[in-house]
Amino acid sequence: MPVVQRLPAPPSNDPNATTAIEFSDRLREASWGAHQGAESSPAMKGLFDGSLPVKRYALLVLQYRAIYTELEAATAGLANDPALKVFVFPELTRLAALDADLAALIGEDDGPELSVLPATEAYLARLRAVRAEWPAGVVAHQYVRSMGDLSGGQMIGRVVRRVFDLDADSGAGTAFYRFDDIEDAAAWKDAYRALLNGAPWDPEEQDRFIAEVLEAYRLNTALLAELPAD
């Protein structure tokens, strides 16, 4: 578990005291560099320089489909938890978009060549474990995916359209990166962080949450590292 600085709340009668750091800020600071490994993977480099074959990108989409199948099922289960049901967001569901992207990227005869990678299986096992043992951990994985998809994922979507010459208007092949039910991504992310700040977690639970976020980043990086780049 990472060592995270805990700042004491200032005395309310001290006009010069600073406000205690919000949990979402601690979380963002602790995970600031965690995505660097994913960006430097051969597959992502190949995507950005245009050398990644479309079938390899389709293989990545298939991995995401497996991950979101598990994540969305786990997230739906939070609806029965009084403290966590606020983290159930229909606008985040991605399965239909991923299916549409696979249909646009590969032909019917190519599908059997694609399979779930061992790194993805490890990712799925972790999602199943937190779903069964610690539901708040599901939110940690949702946080990593949703913040990434609504931030850097938007740039990746534009790169995918350019590299594979996909139609931007129809969204064919890049539906995964389109969130038609979220008008303002920045405002949505701010509201999500506010929910994290208001979650009824003590400092130990917050540290555990941060550790799970870092584990989610590690699993995603391992997946991208395993993805063939040619």
Side-chain angles (χ1 to χ4, degrees), residues 54 57 61 96-106 157-178 180:
V54 67
Y57 177 70
V61 174
L98 288 164
D99 283 340
D101 287 346
L102 284 172
L105 292 166
I106 61 175
R158 291 191 291 271
V159 171
V160 170
R161 283 194 294 272
R162 173 179 57 80
V163 168
F164 301 124
D165 194 24
L166 301 171
D167 181 57
D169 292 331
S170 69
T174 57
F176 174 69
Y177 301 104
R178 295 181 60 164
D180 294 334

Side-chain angles (χ1 to χ4, degrees), residues 71-94:
L71 179 60
E72 290 183 10
T75 303
L78 301 179
N80 299 318
D81 188 311
L84 300 177
K85 62 183 181 181
V86 295
F87 292 102
V88 179
F89 299 103
E91 63 267 33
L92 291 181
T93 56
R94 301 285 87 199

Side-chain angles (χ1 to χ4, degrees), residues 130-141:
V130 295
R131 179 183 183 182
E133 301 167 9
W134 180 49
V138 174
V139 181
H141 287 268

Side-chain angles (χ1 to χ4, degrees), residues 17 36-37 40-41 49 55 57 71 73 77 83 85 89 103 111 120 122 125 127 130 137 168-169 214 224 227:
Q36 297 298 322
S40 63
S41 68
D49 67 22
K55 282 189 177 181
Y57 177 70
L71 179 60
K85 62 183 181 181
F89 299 103
T120 302
L127 284 170
V130 295
D169 292 331
L214 296 178
L224 292 174
L227 188 73

